[in-house]
Amino acid sequence: MPRPSGSPGNLVVLNWAGFQGAVSYTFDDSNSSQIQNYDQLNALDVPFTFYLQTGKSESNNPVWQRAVADGHELGNHTKSHSSNDSGADTDAATQFIESKFGVKVWTMAAPNGSSVYGNIARTRFLINRGVANALIGPNDSTDPFNLPCYIPPTGASTAMFDDQVTSARSANKWRTVLVHGFTGGSDGAYQPVQLRAFLDHVQHTKALGDVWIDSVVNIGAYWRGQKTLSSVTPTTSGSDRTWRWTLPAHFPPGKYLRVKVSGGTLKQGGRTLQWNDHGYYEIALDEGSLTLSP
Ligand SMILES: [Zn+2]
């Protein structure tokens, strides 16, 4: 696409970075069948989010260090998986993950979807994933501290998974999916599914070619970053317009949004942004401001 050459204005953030929709696949409880099948999951070559229950011995498995190296997210599913917590059990899981695997924890998943974790997450994380199914829309009022997700029934078919993604895509929204484990595991994963059904589904999603598949932290940062920028009223100085924002608490560094304008020159920190021929400018959320000039 050619660089827009109209009059400066009409700043628009591309929904889901320009994809038709988005999906995040999450795995809870550090279950053995996730570990046993890690190589096949990783071979799909898409980033996943693994929510570790750190009190389980499986959380010591070296597979999680590989998951970090392979670009997957490790998130917090608490140490003890209780429906109640003062925050200490959540913090114990963060400490375990950060010290053992050398990553920062940005998101959590509430054990049993318990509502007590809404306020615990608000003071610690970017997002808390819940357990009720719904779609998440650009700039909508979905609670980031009780983010919806789809939990497949036992033995869910590939077609059942596919339906969840195609409906998200046709609505231009984001779906998160929670798989507890696969048939054949040794630790009683909740509602396990056949590995083959899941692998085939992810291949179908990839083949669509226009669905953003990424971790909860990556898509979540885009979703919350877009909401932040979209809520800003720019200030005018001469012929320049400037948007200034403050990122939400517990926001990961190094995140970007893709935007369009009808024309003009976009700058951040005095640096002119380059137009990407795929149809966008990429803006750094860390900069905290964006200026549009003639
Ligand atoms: Zn769980």
Side-chain angles (χ1 to χ4, degrees), residues 28-29 53 77 81 111-112 180:
D28 286 13
D29 303 343
Q53 179 186 330
H77 197 42
H81 208 283
N112 314 311
H180 288 85

Side-chain angles (χ1 to χ4, degrees), residues 7 48 59 73 81 201 216 264 267 273 277 290:
S7 53
F48 296 124
S59 292
E73 177 187 10
H81 208 283
H201 158 66
V216 173
K267 290 181 186 169
L273 302 186
D277 289 339
L290 175 70

Side-chain angles (χ1 to χ4, degrees), residues 1-3 274-280:
M1 290 187 196
R3 179 170 175 262
Q274 297 303 306
W275 175 250
N276 185 304
D277 289 339
H278 291 101
Y280 55 83

Side-chain angles (χ1 to χ4, degrees), residues 79-97:
K79 179 182 179 186
S80 309
H81 208 283
S82 170
S83 289
N84 209 347
D85 183 20
S86 63
D89 199 60
T90 300
D91 290 341
T94 296
Q95 192 173 33
F96 178 96
I97 294 167

